[in-house]
């Protein structure tokens, strides 16, 4: 590999890729040779939650196939605009679980910092698609409030960086946050929840690895990958760099109709993750967020799929099938 003379965040590598992400439904349909009849609905649905897909992900979508499992995760559909019983704006009651702005404390021993509302990609099923980022989004001032709260709560041993996607922020800013967290004596682990290495693998820069593994906190990364075809050679190489540096890699997937609701697909996903050095952690039932009802896999079917992979994979490749309930003390196993 040719060493970079300047870090990627200065030359604009990954940031440029994010800035240039495709956002126009017409262009998406043209680039992927899809039926132009999809356009009016895509436009309408994209006004509520915009289309966003970077080139690095777009390149993995099969042209001409409206049922491509990667396309389905990003293509706005008219179905999003149809109201569905039980599907609401804040399905997890997160707006109530914030002791200070941008900090969610729902589970014992762990606290989650919402460090940004920005994402590299807009996943149509996202449970935070209506999240009030404007209110929750911590300015530097509010990080200080959250960090102060963490310092005052010695039972918290692990901080999760979430969002949005925390790796949307530049490395110097995240490095500063990591240093401030490492200075809180009762914290042991720093966990990043991110889809970024799967979407824009160039985001896994030497700078990222340096700050993430450079404090006394044990680094854990929970990726978000839903389909084996999301893991291409570039993603595997990025994950390899993280693993070599000592980052524990886990994956959470969401069970999605038309994307990964087949035993074969889920088994292949686990195999592909492990080949890339990642252990499957959670398989989430869809959160009932307004606009995502068409992705629902019924509970009975979910159990059946989970049994299907349990019957054919080693135990360590079987993710826990869980559902999140607003007032539960943990993610609930099904
Ligand atoms: C999911 C979640 C966590 C992490 O749960 P784990 O079971 O530790 O992975 C922590 N805080 C909040 C608010 C969460 O939603
Ligand atoms: S928060 Fe995660 S699931 Fe939601 S849009 Fe962003 S990357 Fe996708």
């Amino acid at each position: 590999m040719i060493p970079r003379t300047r870090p990627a965040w200065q030359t604009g590598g990954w940031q440029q890729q994010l800035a240039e992400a495709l956002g126009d439904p017409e262009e998406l349909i043209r680039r992927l040779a899809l039926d132009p009849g999809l356009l009016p609905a895509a436009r309408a649905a994209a006004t509520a939650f915009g289309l966003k897909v970077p080139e690095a992900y777009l390149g993995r979508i099969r042209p001409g196939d409206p049922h491509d499992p990667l396309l389905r995760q990003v293509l706005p559909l008219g179905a999003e605009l149809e109201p569905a019983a039980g599907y609401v704006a804040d399905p997890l009651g997160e707006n109530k679980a914030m002791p200070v702005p941008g900090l969610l404390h729902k589970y014992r021993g762990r606290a989650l910092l919402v460090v940004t509302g920005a994402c590299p990609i807009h996943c149509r099923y996202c449970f935070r698609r209506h999240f009030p980022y404007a209110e929750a989004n911590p300015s530097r001032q509010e990080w200080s409030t959250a960090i102060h709260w963490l310092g005052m709560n010695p039972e918290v041993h692990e901080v999760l960086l979430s969002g949005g996607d925390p790796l949307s922020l530049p490395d110097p800013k995240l490095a500063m946050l990591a240093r401030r967290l490492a200075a809180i004596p009762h914290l042991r682990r720093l966990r990043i929840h991110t889809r970024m290495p799967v979407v824009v693998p160039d985001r896994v820069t030497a700078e990222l690895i340096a700050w993430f593994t450079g404090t006394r906190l044990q680094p854990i990364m929970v990726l978000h990958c839903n389909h084996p075809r999301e893991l291409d050679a570039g993603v595997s190489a990025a994950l390899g760099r993280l693993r070599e540096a000592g980052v524990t890699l886990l994956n959470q997937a969401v069970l999605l109709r038309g994307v990964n609701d087949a035993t074969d697909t889920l088994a292949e996903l686990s195999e592909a993750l492990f080949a890339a050095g990642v252990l499957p952690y959670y398989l989430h039932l869809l959160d009932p967020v307004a606009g995502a009802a068409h992705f629902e896999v019924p509970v009975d079917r979910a159990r059946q799929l989970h049994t299907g992979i349990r019957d054919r994979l080693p135990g360590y490749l079987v993710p826990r099938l869980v559902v999140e309930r607003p007032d539960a003390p943990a993610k609930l196993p099904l």
Side-chain angles (χ1 to χ4, degrees):
M1 210 174 97
I2 302 162
R4 286 198 184 97
T5 49
R6 285 201 297 156
W9 61 269
Q10 286 179 350
T11 56
W14 64 268
Q15 284 170 322
Q16 193 167 338
Q17 290 183 47
L18 292 187
E20 290 171 356
L22 194 152
D24 175 9
E26 188 170 2
E27 194 183 342
L28 180 76
I29 285 168
R30 186 168 40 77
R31 288 274 306 275
L32 294 173
L34 297 169
D35 176 4
L38 291 165
L39 185 58
R43 275 219 176 100
T47 55
F49 180 52
L51 165 73
K52 185 170 183 185
V53 52
E55 289 293 332
Y57 192 87
L58 196 66
R60 284 170 256 167
I61 300 177
R62 261 191 313 250
D65 179 4
H67 304 295
D68 181 273
L70 277 58
L71 175 71
R72 281 193 59 91
Q73 296 180 59
V74 298
L75 176 68
L77 294 178
E80 294 176 25
L81 301 170
E82 290 161 21
Y87 280 74
V88 298
D90 177 24
L92 305 182
E94 288 195 325
N95 302 346
K96 294 183 304 202
M98 264 191 253
V100 297
L103 189 134
L104 295 172
H105 185 226
K106 276 170 74 176
Y107 304 145
R108 199 166 156 172
R110 294 148 286 174
L112 183 153
L113 266 179
V114 177
V115 295
T116 175
C119 284
I121 188 166
H122 284 177
C123 313
R124 306 315 299 176
Y125 53 85
C126 181
F127 72 102
R128 296 217 172 108
R129 54 183 287 165
H130 309 284
F131 194 77
Y133 283 114
E135 291 148 52
N137 221 342
S139 61
R140 193 167 291 225
Q141 174 64 32
E142 278 164 355
W143 278 4
S144 292
T145 314
I147 287 164
H148 178 75
W149 184 94
L150 289 165
M152 302 295 284
N153 283 268
E155 77 286 2
V156 175
H157 298 305
E158 179 169 1
V159 171
L160 284 68
L161 305 186
S162 184
D165 197 309
L167 296 185
S168 303
L169 295 180
D171 286 315
K173 203 166 175 184
L174 290 164
M176 182 211 51
L177 178 59
R179 275 195 306 273
R180 292 178 70 183
L181 293 171
I184 300 173
H186 51 268
L187 292 183
R188 298 170 188 163
R189 296 180 293 277
L190 179 59
R191 185 189 330 173
I192 299 178
H193 277 232
T194 177
R195 190 149 161 69
M196 193 72 86
V198 173
V199 176
V200 179
D202 284 349
R203 176 64 186 91
V204 182
T205 58
E207 296 73 27
L208 162 60
I209 291 172
W211 67 257
F212 192 29
T213 62
T215 74
R216 63 173 190 84
L217 301 173
Q218 273 188 290
I220 303 161
M221 190 175 275
V222 179
L223 302 159
H224 175 182
C225 176
N226 297 317
H227 193 278
R229 276 202 12 241
E230 290 181 331
L231 293 166
D232 67 1
V235 175
S236 295
L239 298 177
R241 296 198 291 280
L242 287 162
R243 223 166 73 88
E244 249 170 64
V247 178
T248 297
L249 296 175
L250 305 171
N251 185 64
Q252 54 180 354
V254 183
L255 187 58
L256 299 166
R257 186 160 96 207
V259 174
N260 57 12
D261 57 336
T263 310
D264 285 347
T265 309
L266 292 172
E268 278 168 34
L269 175 60
S270 279
E271 294 276 1
L273 285 166
F274 192 71
V278 185
L279 281 174
Y281 180 38
Y282 283 138
L283 178 60
H284 291 269
L285 278 200
L286 180 72
D287 297 309
V289 65
H294 56 293
F295 285 113
E296 180 175 314
V297 176
V299 177
D300 286 349
R301 175 70 181 143
R303 283 211 183 91
Q304 201 179 45
L305 290 165
H306 193 246
T307 306
I309 53 172
R310 223 174 47 204
D311 288 349
R312 74 156 90 167
L313 293 173
Y316 60 87
L317 290 189
V318 181
R320 283 162 216 137
L321 179 65
V322 291
V323 62
E324 199 160 341
R325 290 278 152 71
D327 297 311
K331 318 267 189 246
L332 294 177
L334 275 180

